[in-house]
């Protein structure tokens, strides 16, 4: 048996006979003479060493070997078809892959409608989605996310540099909270900065020291900085300080009574953040391809 003599054409003919139900129908579909279809099947059977069709009936039916080999033949034919389509798309300038980087804590549901439409519009373009460390999610670290590492970024819209193009997606609600056992939870009425200042505030921060003007919503004199949203959540829930958590993150603990929502006055320039803007971003000096441009625009339509 000469397995090296197997050809893609023989497998295509094999699949066509199965899908059309006969040699003659396959010949019409492939625009060939019936004798050419018969010859291709005979060559295939000679090379695999067994019959793939039972010809004892009026119409050919798959033999046991044919039933086993058919899924593999279909897969090879489909894979080659996808290979050809991807190569043709690349020759026309279409990307083989679009890479997304996403900041932590951003609700993935914001992306789902656009990604679902992207899957349907660009079935041959792969998608790579990576979550950023928090310390790389804010403006000063962009492009601390090194150029060339991503095509599109979903980031918190703070201090983003001029070399990025951005479109707003949404604003994430932040809820000022404290553990039910914390002294702040026992204070009735709205809290002003003076009441908050003497208690530890737990804030998400970059690894590097914050520069003047980069601290947003920091009120307390004593600050614990963490780089992981899960750690911030845990420290607040365990009563070690107060801080602002994304609404969906705090919801379960609020409902269970483990956390209490802090009522704050509207006075003071440094009051905690209650909303966090989110943007879709790409570097201006790294132009997007057709699929990336489409996805960037579609993500940006979220705000409208």
């Amino acid at each position: 048996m000469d397995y090296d003599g197997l050809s893609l054409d023989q497998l295509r003919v094999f699949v066509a006979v199965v899908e059309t139900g006969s040699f003659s129908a396959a010949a019409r579909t492939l625009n060939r003479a019936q004798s050419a279809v018969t010859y291709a099947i005979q060559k295939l059977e000679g090379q695999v060493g067994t019959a793939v069709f039972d010809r004892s009936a009026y119409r050919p039916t798959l033999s046991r070997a044919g039933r086993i080999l058919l899924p593999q033949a279909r897969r090879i034919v489909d894979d080659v078809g996808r290979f050809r389509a991807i190569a043709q798309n690349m020759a026309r300038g279409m990307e083989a892959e679009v890479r997304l980087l996403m900041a932590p804590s951003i609700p993935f549901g914001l992306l789902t409608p656009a990604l679902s439409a992207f899957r349907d519009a660009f079935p041959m373009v792969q998608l790579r989605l990576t979550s950023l460390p928090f310390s790389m999610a804010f403006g000063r670290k962009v492009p601390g996310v090194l150029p060339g590492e991503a095509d599109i970024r979903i980031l918190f819209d703070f201090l983003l540099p001029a070399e990025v193009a951005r479109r707003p997606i949404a604003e994430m609600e932040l809820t000022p909270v404290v553990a039910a056992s914390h002294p702040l939870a026992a204070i009735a009425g709205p809290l002003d900065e003076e009441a908050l200042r003497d208690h530890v505030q737990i804030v998400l921060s970059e690894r590097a020291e914050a520069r003047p003007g980069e601290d947003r919503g920091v009120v307390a004199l004593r600050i614990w900085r963490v780089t992981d949203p899960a750690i911030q959540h845990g420290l607040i829930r365990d009563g070690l300080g107060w801080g602002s958590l994304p609404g969906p993150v705090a919801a379960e603990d609020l409902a269970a009574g483990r956390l209490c929502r802090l009522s704050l006055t509207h006075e003071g320039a440094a009051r905690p953040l209650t909303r966090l803007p989110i943007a879709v971003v790409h570097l201006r000096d790294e132009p997007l391809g057709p699929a990336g441009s489409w996805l960037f625009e579609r993500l940006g339509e979220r705000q409208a």
Side-chain angles (χ1 to χ4, degrees), residues 141-204:
K141 292 295 183 179
V142 179
V145 180
L146 298 177
E149 284 193 342
D151 304 301
I152 297 172
R153 299 164 172 85
I154 314 297
L155 302 174
F156 295 113
D157 196 358
F158 277 166
L159 305 172
L160 292 173
E163 59 265 29
V164 305
R166 66 160 71 75
R167 286 183 176 272
I169 297 179
E171 289 187 335
M172 185 169 70
E173 177 190 359
L174 294 178
T175 304
V177 292
V178 71
S181 59
H182 193 279
L184 285 174
I187 301 177
L191 302 173
D192 58 17
E193 287 184 23
E194 192 66 31
L196 297 171
R197 194 167 285 147
D198 294 332
H199 296 273
V200 172
Q201 182 178 0
I202 299 172
V203 300
L204 284 173

Side-chain angles (χ1 to χ4, degrees), residues 4 26 29 35 48 61 80 96 125 129 140 155 158 187 238 243 268 279 296:
D4 290 338
T29 298
S35 58
V48 301
T61 58
V80 171
V125 178
L129 179 59
R140 178 153 61 89
L155 302 174
F158 277 166
I187 301 177
D238 291 345
F296 181 80

Side-chain angles (χ1 to χ4, degrees), residues 9-132:
D9 182 68
Q10 291 163 5
L11 298 178
R12 282 201 183 110
V13 172
F14 175 37
V15 171
V17 172
V18 174
E19 292 180 346
T20 60
S22 70
F23 284 34
S24 58
R28 289 192 296 271
T29 298
L30 298 172
N31 196 27
R32 299 187 187 182
Q34 183 172 335
S35 58
V37 170
T38 301
Y39 179 74
I41 296 299
Q42 289 172 343
K43 289 288 290 182
L44 173 65
E45 291 175 328
Q47 285 159 357
V48 301
T50 185
V52 295
F53 287 108
D54 179 357
R55 299 172 177 78
S56 61
Y58 173 71
R59 288 184 178 277
T61 58
L62 283 170
S63 66
R64 180 176 179 276
R67 289 194 299 272
I68 294 171
L69 293 173
L70 178 62
Q72 301 302 319
R74 279 181 166 148
R75 180 174 178 178
I76 293 169
V77 171
D78 289 346
D79 284 347
V80 171
R82 280 191 290 270
F83 179 90
R84 180 179 288 109
I86 291 170
Q88 290 172 345
N89 284 339
M90 291 175 66
R92 294 194 295 265
M94 185 72 69
E95 310 95 302
E97 179 181 75
V98 174
R99 300 162 300 165
L100 271 68
L101 282 174
M102 186 174 180
S105 298
I106 291 179
F108 185 76
L110 293 175
L111 311 186
T112 302
L115 294 183
S116 177
F118 178 84
R119 177 195 59 192
D120 296 336
F122 299 93
M124 296 299 170
V125 178
Q126 298 185 55
L127 186 74
R128 185 183 300 273
L129 179 59
T130 305
S131 178
L132 288 164

Side-chain angles (χ1 to χ4, degrees), residues 233 246-259:
H233 182 193
V249 174
E252 182 177 344
D253 288 324
L254 286 169
R258 292 185 291 267
L259 292 178

